[in-house]
Amino acid sequence: MQITKQADYALRAVRYLSRLSPGEKASTSAVAIAENIPPSFLAKIISQLSIAGILHTARGARGGVYLSRPSKDISMLDVVEAIDGPIL
């Protein structure tokens, strides 16, 4: 099975966030640099993952993105379907 570039980027972003301590936030620019994802593309991906309930976002000086639940409770299928839609 092949996945889209957008789903690949989403998986890489979630993987990066899963390495953080519980409750720790990362800036989108840190994720983009660490995972070599174009920042403008990452913004759209983060929005989709947030709508799907996989990520939470916080604005402001102490803002950033973080997983909405423990990484063990997020499957690759959850992430891919949040980006590409249901897989038949």
Side-chain angles (χ1 to χ4, degrees):
M1 177 181 147
Q2 289 188 351
I3 60 172
T4 63
K5 191 68 158 174
Q6 190 172 3
D8 176 53
Y9 287 155
L11 288 166
R12 288 164 45 190
V14 170
R15 179 186 64 193
Y16 177 88
L17 295 171
S18 72
R19 294 180 185 146
L20 301 177
S21 301
E24 186 180 357
K25 298 174 188 142
S27 68
T28 54
S29 60
V31 176
I33 290 167
E35 295 298 328
N36 198 27
I37 302 170
S40 59
F41 205 21
L42 181 59
K44 180 180 176 187
I45 291 167
I46 297 238
S47 175
Q48 289 176 283
L49 293 174
S50 180
I51 290 167
I54 294 171
L55 301 181
H56 284 303
T57 60
R59 294 181 181 225
R62 304 188 80 140
V65 294
Y66 56 100
L67 297 178
S68 63
R69 55 189 188 263
S71 59
K72 66 181 176 74
D73 296 335
I74 300 171
S75 71
M76 290 176 64
L77 180 63
D78 293 335
V79 176
V80 172
E81 286 188 336
I83 301 300
D84 291 340
I87 296 176
L88 300 175

